[in-house]
């Protein structure tokens, strides 16, 4: 009788541990920043404007500048996202580009020692508008 009780208690404990420590799927939360971030930049004609973003970020150009020789998003050697702009040769005046940026940050939430536990990822989406004043 003692052996049956011990086996039953051990099985129950194992079942509870397995259920509570199982590998969970990632929970993903999405956050949208309502108001765009506006950056004003004065760029001397022929010079490169560079904006460095976080390493965890991914960016795309949603509205391209109108008067550019180079307007692109690159990945630097350290892994950060970089936007670069050079105005078209001979152009002076106003120009504007709109970037869409997403930043994902992951956090682990509890779980059991040695297991994956549940992980949570939060992705924040924001719009960045860069207003250039290209001057001589």
């Amino acid at each position: 009788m003692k052996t049956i009780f011990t086996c039953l208690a051990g099985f129950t404990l194992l079942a509870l541990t397995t259920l509570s420590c199982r590998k969970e799927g990632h929970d993903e939360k999405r956050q949208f920043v309502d108001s765009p971030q506006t950056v004003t930049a004065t760029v001397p004609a022929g010079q490169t404007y560079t904006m460095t973003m976080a390493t965890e970020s991914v960016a795309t150009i949603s509205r391209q500048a109108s008067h550019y020789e180079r307007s692109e998003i690159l990945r630097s050697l350290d892994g950060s996202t970089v936007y670069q702009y050079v105005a078209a040769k001979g152009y002076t005046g106003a120009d504007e580009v709109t970037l869409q940026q997403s930043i994902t940050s992951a956090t682990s939430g509890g779980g059991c020692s040695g297991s994956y536990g549940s992980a949570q990822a939060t992705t924040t989406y924001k719009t960045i508008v860069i207003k250039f004043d290209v001057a001589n």
Side-chain angles (χ1 to χ4, degrees):
M1 185 71 153
K2 197 174 194 181
T3 306
I4 293 173
F5 179 73
T6 304
C7 288
L8 184 59
F11 179 73
T12 303
L13 183 61
L14 179 64
L16 287 174
T17 304
T18 302
L19 289 175
S20 66
C21 293
R22 70 177 183 222
K23 182 179 176 183
E24 297 289 333
H26 294 284
D27 292 331
E28 184 177 349
K29 293 183 180 179
R30 295 177 182 211
Q31 297 177 341
F32 293 90
V33 177
D34 292 333
S35 58
Q37 175 186 354
T38 303
V39 176
T40 305
T42 301
V43 182
Q47 297 292 317
T48 302
Y49 170 81
T50 302
M51 175 185 216
T52 303
M53 297 174 236
T55 304
E56 315 77 38
S57 71
V58 175
T60 58
I61 298 173
S62 65
R63 195 173 111 234
Q64 186 59 272
S66 299
H67 310 282
Y68 68 93
E69 180 178 315
R70 182 173 67 211
S71 177
E72 61 187 347
I73 296 171
L74 308 165
R75 186 66 71 176
S76 69
L77 294 175
D78 68 357
S80 60
T81 303
V82 177
Y83 170 74
Q84 288 187 340
Y85 171 85
V86 177
K89 291 188 189 287
Y91 178 76
T92 57
D95 207 353
E96 182 176 301
V97 67
T98 304
L99 309 176
Q100 294 296 323
Q101 181 184 24
S102 64
I103 302 170
T104 302
S105 58
T107 57
S108 61
C112 299
S113 176
S115 73
Y116 294 100
S118 61
Q120 190 173 61
T122 302
T123 303
T124 304
Y125 298 93
K126 68 179 186 176
T127 302
I128 302 170
V129 178
I130 305 173
K131 296 181 181 241
F132 297 107
D133 178 19
V134 182
N136 279 334

